[in-house]
Each structure stands twice: as structure tokens, then as C-alpha cells.
Amino acid sequence: ANLKLIKQGGALRTRLMRHAHRLHAGLTELGFKLGSEPGPVAAVIAPDPQTAVALWRGVIEAGVYVNLALPPATPYGYCLLRASLCAAHTEAQIDEVIGIFASVARNLGLIPAKPAKRVAAG
């Protein structure tokens, strides 16, 4: 019976995949490369081990736990930060994770600073 429920999906699975798509899209929009399609684990690819460790430390210190995986324990020699999702997360929490990745990456110079908002001349 449990296997049948898992195969059918259901509300929790739908919610989990909605979160996965939200996180994947948000990180991709920031300019991160991800190691897979949207799923319960988002694998952010860092360019090298030093950058991966710096990003991992920054994200951890900002309150988001992610797993760090470095070669030779990774496919293709990638340096990965793996963020795991569950259906219990909220959309606000997913957005907060995206914001933390953005902030840390900007501080490390991995992505450009936010452009200043233009004020309309009046």
C-alpha cells in the first residue's frame, strides 16, 4: 500500500517538487550552474575547491545547512554544495535560501552586485 501511495505522488510530493523548481529557478537566475534537473537535492556547482569551501562556509554561517562534496568523491570532478529540500519547507524559506546564496556569492565576487534601483525623474 505504501509503495502504491509513493507511486501516485500526492500532495506532499507535488509540494516538494514545486519547492525544487522554485529553488532551481532562483539559483539558476542568480547565475549558478546546477548539477541536475530540479529535484529534492539541488547541487550547486562551484568552480574550484577553494571557492566551494568559501561559499559553503558563508552559507552555513548565514544559517543554511548544505553538504559540501569535493573531488574525488563527486561526478566529473565537480565541487558541489548540495541543498536538500522537503515538503515541510515553506516558499518563504526557499526564497530565504536563495537570498542567502545570493548574498554570500556577491560577497565572494561570484555574482555581480545588485544593480541600484533607478528612481524615475519626476
Side-chain angles (χ1 to χ4, degrees):
N2 285 338
L3 290 175
K4 185 176 180 182
L5 288 173
I6 290 170
K7 286 179 183 177
Q8 291 175 347
L12 291 178
R13 186 179 200 174
T14 299
R15 181 179 166 107
L16 173 61
M17 289 310 296
R18 187 173 58 244
H19 291 337
H21 283 277
R22 186 181 195 95
L23 181 60
H24 194 280
L27 293 172
T28 300
E29 187 176 306
L30 289 171
F32 286 106
K33 290 183 183 180
L34 279 82
S36 62
E37 296 299 315
V41 177
V44 176
I45 300 172
D48 56 66
Q50 295 79 12
T51 303
V53 170
L55 183 58
W56 173 73
R57 282 187 178 149
V59 170
I60 292 274
E61 288 171 2
V64 175
Y65 182 80
V66 295
N67 292 302
L68 177 63
L70 298 172
T74 56
Y76 312 110
Y78 287 158
C79 300
L80 303 172
L81 280 76
R82 295 170 44 98
S84 299
L85 297 169
C86 71
H89 286 115
T90 65
E91 289 183 1
Q93 288 171 322
I94 303 302
D95 292 343
E96 183 178 2
V97 168
I98 294 166
I100 287 171
F101 265 92
S103 176
V104 172
R106 284 188 184 105
N107 288 339
L108 293 172
L110 299 175
I111 61 175
K114 276 186 178 178
K117 290 185 179 182
R118 295 183 183 185
V119 178

